[in-house]
Amino acid sequence: MSIFLLQTAFGSALGIALAPTATDPKLVWMYTGICIATIITAGLFWFLFSHYNAAEESMNQLDDNGEVAVKASEINARGAVVGDHNHGPTDAASRRLQQEREGGFTTGADQV
């Protein structure tokens, strides 16, 4: 809350400082000054944080566990992927979980 109030105080101080220049002939220069300050701030922001762009792909990648993204329209009410896509599970535990979701799972007692 204190940071919010500090930002509000800076904004109010800036408004009080710019109020005398908000007359008709000086209005264009006031907005020109704000525009220049914004461009300088944007350049500083880019300079300080542009190194994160290089690391963005590695930060956003998911672990490769054989998972494949599918559209929401390709998933039925039970959560199984429908259609002629090769998005099947890659390991035994995933296959068993998918069989349980589809209702085709049989226990050892059912296989007698």
Side-chain angles (χ1 to χ4, degrees):
M1 183 71 183
S2 62
I3 294 175
F4 167 73
L5 293 174
L6 183 65
Q7 289 175 343
T8 304
F10 282 131
S12 296
L14 183 63
I16 291 170
L18 292 177
T21 62
T23 59
D24 191 26
K26 299 177 186 176
L27 200 58
V28 173
W29 291 110
M30 181 184 73
Y31 284 111
T32 303
I34 292 173
C35 177
I36 291 170
T38 303
I39 290 171
I40 291 170
T41 304
L44 271 168
F45 187 85
W46 178 83
F47 178 74
L48 292 174
F49 297 106
S50 64
H51 65 277
Y52 286 116
N53 285 337
E56 182 179 13
E57 281 301 317
S58 64
M59 290 166 56
N60 288 336
Q61 284 181 344
L62 298 173
D63 292 334
D64 186 18
N65 294 331
E67 299 164 343
V68 179
V70 295
K71 295 179 184 176
S73 60
E74 297 176 353
I75 300 174
N76 66 13
R78 294 185 188 182
V81 178
V82 295
D84 57 347
H85 302 283
N86 189 13
H87 297 302
T90 56
D91 61 341
S94 297
R95 282 193 296 271
R96 183 174 177 174
L97 182 61
Q98 185 176 10
Q99 286 177 346
E100 287 176 3
R101 287 183 183 155
E102 293 174 355
F105 178 74
T106 58
T107 61
D110 295 337
Q111 295 177 358
V112 186

